C-alpha cells in the first residue's frame, strides 16, 4: 500500500544522512559547550596572569625603573590597633570605646609566634549594639585596622608620635546587606513550616514578591591576614588584581605591607539579621600571617567573582542569593572533602573538557554521542575505583 503519511510529518534528512531535527537539537548544545570552554580559557588566563611578573622595562623602555622594597623587613616589630565605628572613615581616636583590640610587639613575618605557636593572635568578645545607635536600625559597622611602629600612634594629631610612612591602614564593612527569601511552603502532615515566622508569606503578600527588603546581617568571624611578601614590585606594573592591594610610598620607593581582611570562608547561610532582638553580637577577630601564594588565590577568587558578575550581568542569570548559595556549596566542598578527591575531581573535569572540545571540533552529532558515552564510562569507572 502507498504511504499515506503527510509530507510535513516526515523528518527531513540532510546530505550527511543525519536527521535535521537532531542537528537543530545539537546546535544549542555545541554553542553551550563553546561558551563554557571559552569561559574556562578566560578564567585560566586571568588566574595565570596573577603569577606573571612583568619586566620593569615594559613601562617605558627609555627609562630604568628601580623595583620597590617593603617598608617593613622580615622580623620588624609592629603594634596593632583595631577600631570599630559606624563611619567608613575613622577619626574618633580619643573615644576609648572605639578601640576594640590593641596588640603590641607583633613580629612581621613570624610564623611561630602567638599563644599557639602558629603565628596567630585572637580576640574574642561581644559587641553591645547600644554603643552604635544605628546598628539595629539597618545601619553599618566598619572595622579599621592600623599597624604602626612600636611606641607610635595611628592618630595623626599626636605630633611626633605619628608617622605617615610607617602607618599601615585598612578598613572593611563588617555588616552585610542581604535579602531574605520568603517561604510559601508548609509541611503537608503537620501544616507548619520550619522557616522563621518573619519569613513566612501571608495571604496579604503579593505572589510575585519572593524576597524581603535587604537588611543588615552579621557574621562574627574575620581574619586579619598580614601578607609576608618582599617581592620587588614596580609601581604601575603590578598585575591585576594585586594592584588594588599594593600601596606605594613614593618618597622612598617602598611599599606598605599588604593587610588583607579575609572573610572568604564565612558561609552566607551563617549571616544573621541584626535588629532589636540582637542587642549583643559575638565577634571573633584573628590576626595571622599569610603567604604570597595563598593571598594570590584569595585575590583571584574575589576578582573572578566581580569580573564574572560584570561580564554576565543579565536578567537571565540567577539572583544574588542563589549565587551566594552556590558559593556556599563550593566552600563546603573545599572544607569537608578530602584534598586527594578534590585533586582527582579537577583532573576529571579537565579530561571532560577535553572530550567536550573534541566533540565540538568534530561537529557531527553521532560522534558527539560516542564521545559523551566514553565520558560517562570514564566517570563510572573512576567512581568504581575511588569508592
Amino acid at each position: 500500500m502507498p504511504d499515506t503519511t503527510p509530507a510535513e510529518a516526515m523528518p527531513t534528512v540532510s546530505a550527511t544522512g543525519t536527521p535535521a531535527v537532531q542537528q537543530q537539537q545539537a546546535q544549542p548544545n555545541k554553542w553551550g559547550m563553546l561558551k563554557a570552554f571559552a569561559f574556562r580559557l578566560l578564567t585560566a588566563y586571568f588566574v595565570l596572569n596573577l603569577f606573571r611578573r612583568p619586566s620593569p622595562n615594559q613601562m617605558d623602555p627609555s627609562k630604568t625603573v628601580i623595583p620597590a622594597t617593603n617598608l617593613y623587613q622580615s622580623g620588624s616589630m609592629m603594634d596593632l590597633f583595631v577600631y570599630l565605628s559606624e563611619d567608613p572613615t575613622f577619626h574618633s581616636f580619643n573615644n576609648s570605646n572605639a578601640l576594640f583590640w590593641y596588640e603590641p610587639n607583633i613580629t612581621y613575618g613570624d610564623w611561630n609566634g602567638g599563644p599557639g605557636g602558629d603565628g596567630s593572635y585572637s580576640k574574642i568578645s561581644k559587641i553591645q549594639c547600644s554603643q552604635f545607635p544605628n546598628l539595629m536600625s539597618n545601619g553599618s559597622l566598619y572595622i579599621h585596622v592600623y599597624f604602626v611602629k612600636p611606641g607610635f600612634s595611628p592618630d595623626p594629631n599626636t605630633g611626633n608620635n605619628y608617622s605617615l610612612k610607617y602607618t599601615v591602614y585598612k578598613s572593611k564593612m563588617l555588616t552585610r546587606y542581604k535579602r531574605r527569601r520568603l517561604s510559601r511552603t508548609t509541611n503537608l502532615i503537620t501544616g507548619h513550616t520550619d522557616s522563621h515566622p518573619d519569613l513566612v508569606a501571608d495571604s496579604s503578600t503579593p505572589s510575585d514578591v519572593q524576597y524581603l527588603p535587604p537588611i543588615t546581617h552579621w557574621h562574627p568571624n574575620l581574619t586579619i591576614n598580614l601578607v609576608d611578601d618582599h617581592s620587588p614590585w614596580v609601581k604601575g606594573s603590578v598585575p591585576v588584581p594585586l594592584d588594588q592591594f599594593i600601596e606605594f610610598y613614593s618618597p622612598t620607593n617602598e611599599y606598605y605591607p599588604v593587610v588583607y581582611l579575609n572573610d572568604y570562608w564565612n558561609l552566607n547561610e551563617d549571616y544573621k539579621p541584626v535588629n532589636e532582638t540582637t542587642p549583643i553580637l559575638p565577634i571573633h577577630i584573628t590576626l595571622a600571617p599569610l603567604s604570597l601564594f595563598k593571598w594570590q588565590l584569595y585575590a583571584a577568587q574575589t576578582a573572578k567573582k566581580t569580573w564574572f558578575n560584570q561580564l554576565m550581568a543579565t536578567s537571565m542569570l540567577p539572583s544574588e542569593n542563589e549565587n551566594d548559595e552556590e558559593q556556599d556549596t563550593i566552600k563546603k566542598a573545599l572544607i569537608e572533602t578530602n584534598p586527594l578527591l578534590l585533586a582527582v575531581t579537577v583532573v576529571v573535569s579537565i579530561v571532560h573538557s577535553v572530550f567536550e572540545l573534541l566533540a565540538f571540533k568534530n561537529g557531527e552529532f553521532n560522534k558527539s554521542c560516542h564521545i559523551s558515552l566514553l565520558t560517562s564510562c570514564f566517570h563510572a569507572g573512576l567512581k568504581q575505583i575511588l569508592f
Side-chain angles (χ1 to χ4, degrees):
M1 294 181 63
D3 189 1
T4 58
T5 304
E8 58 271 15
M10 294 292 292
T12 59
V13 180
S14 63
T16 59
T18 304
V21 175
Q22 293 183 352
Q23 288 186 347
Q24 293 177 358
Q25 294 177 352
Q27 292 299 327
N29 295 332
K30 293 179 180 179
W31 175 242
M33 288 188 294
L34 177 61
K35 290 193 297 183
F37 183 73
F39 174 71
R40 290 168 184 166
L41 287 179
L42 290 174
T43 303
Y45 171 79
F46 186 78
V47 174
L48 291 176
N49 188 52
L50 296 177
F51 302 94
R52 177 175 172 267
R53 296 292 180 83
S55 173
N57 294 329
Q58 288 183 358
M59 294 181 57
D60 190 347
S62 63
K63 297 181 180 180
T64 301
V65 181
I66 301 177
T69 58
N70 198 322
L71 272 167
Y72 284 84
Q73 298 301 316
S74 182
S76 300
M77 304 302 295
M78 315 170 76
D79 289 351
L80 169 67
F81 292 82
V82 177
Y83 298 90
L84 299 180
S85 172
E86 293 183 285
D87 299 322
T89 56
F90 186 74
H91 302 287
S92 304
F93 292 98
N94 295 327
N95 184 3
S96 59
N97 294 328
L99 180 60
F100 173 76
W101 186 14
Y102 169 66
E103 188 71 38
N105 300 324
I106 297 173
T107 304
Y108 179 50
D110 183 10
W111 293 78
N112 300 314
D118 57 354
S120 65
Y121 302 81
S122 296
K123 175 69 173 181
I124 302 176
S125 183
K126 295 181 179 180
I127 297 177
Q128 299 289 338
C129 292
S130 58
Q131 181 182 348
F132 308 99
N134 300 319
L135 183 57
M136 291 189 296
S137 302
N138 217 23
S140 302
L141 186 64
Y142 294 84
I143 184 172
H144 303 272
V145 180
Y146 294 87
F147 288 94
V148 297
K149 283 278 190 179
F152 281 77
S153 170
D155 185 3
N157 298 321
T158 55
N160 294 332
N161 288 332
Y162 172 77
S163 173
L164 175 63
K165 177 180 179 180
Y166 292 105
T167 300
V168 186
Y169 168 71
K170 188 65 65 175
S171 66
K172 183 181 181 66
M173 187 170 69
L174 292 177
T175 52
R176 180 179 295 185
Y177 289 101
K178 293 173 60 66
R179 298 185 302 171
R180 293 185 294 173
R181 187 192 299 270
L182 286 173
S183 175
R184 301 179 184 273
T185 59
T186 57
N187 191 305
L188 296 178
I189 298 177
T190 63
H192 300 286
T193 179
D194 295 333
S195 302
H196 192 276
D198 295 340
L199 301 179
V200 178
D202 53 21
S203 57
S204 62
T205 305
S207 59
D208 58 341
V209 176
Q210 299 182 357
Y211 298 93
L212 291 174
I215 64 172
T216 300
H217 282 68
W218 175 262
H219 196 290
N221 297 333
L222 179 72
T223 300
I224 303 173
N225 284 133
L226 193 57
V227 181
D228 186 12
D229 172 39
H230 300 276
S231 302
W233 300 113
V234 176
K235 188 175 183 179
S237 297
V238 181
V240 178
L242 304 185
D243 58 342
Q244 302 176 10
F245 301 92
I246 303 293
E247 298 180 7
F248 291 87
Y249 185 72
S250 300
T252 58
N253 193 29
E254 295 174 299
Y255 61 87
Y256 293 95
V258 175
V259 178
Y260 183 69
L261 303 182
N262 190 355
D263 61 353
Y264 178 79
W265 297 108
N266 291 352
L267 299 180
N268 290 279
E269 63 183 22
D270 293 335
Y271 280 84
K272 305 301 180 184
V274 180
N275 48 41
E276 293 79 6
T277 63
T278 57
I280 299 177
L281 298 176
I283 183 171
H284 182 190
I285 306 296
T286 302
L287 170 66
L290 185 68
S291 65
L292 174 62
F293 177 74
K294 289 186 177 180
W295 171 55
Q296 288 176 321
L297 295 180
Y298 283 126
Q301 288 295 323
T302 303
K304 186 181 74 171
K305 180 180 179 181
T306 304
W307 169 72
F308 181 71
N309 289 340
Q310 294 176 352
L311 182 66
M312 305 294 289
T314 63
S315 59
M316 299 300 293
L317 292 179
S319 65
E320 179 182 357
N321 287 53
E322 294 176 351
N323 287 332
D324 291 343
E325 294 173 359
E326 293 177 358
Q327 290 295 323
D328 278 0
T329 302
I330 296 175
K331 293 175 184 178
K332 288 180 180 178
L334 294 174
I335 295 173
E336 300 173 359
T337 308
N338 189 303
L340 178 60
L341 295 182
L342 285 177
V344 173
T345 303
V346 172
V347 174
V348 171
S349 299
I350 295 175
V351 174
H352 187 273
S353 300
V354 172
F355 284 158
E356 286 184 345
L357 177 62
L358 293 176
F360 174 76
K361 183 178 179 181
N362 189 278
E364 293 185 9
F365 180 75
N366 292 333
K367 292 186 178 181
S368 175
C369 291
H370 290 315
I371 294 177
S372 299
L373 180 60
L374 289 175
T375 305
S376 301
C377 294
F378 179 79
H379 279 279
L382 184 62
K383 289 182 179 179
Q384 293 294 331
I385 295 174
L386 293 177
F387 305 104

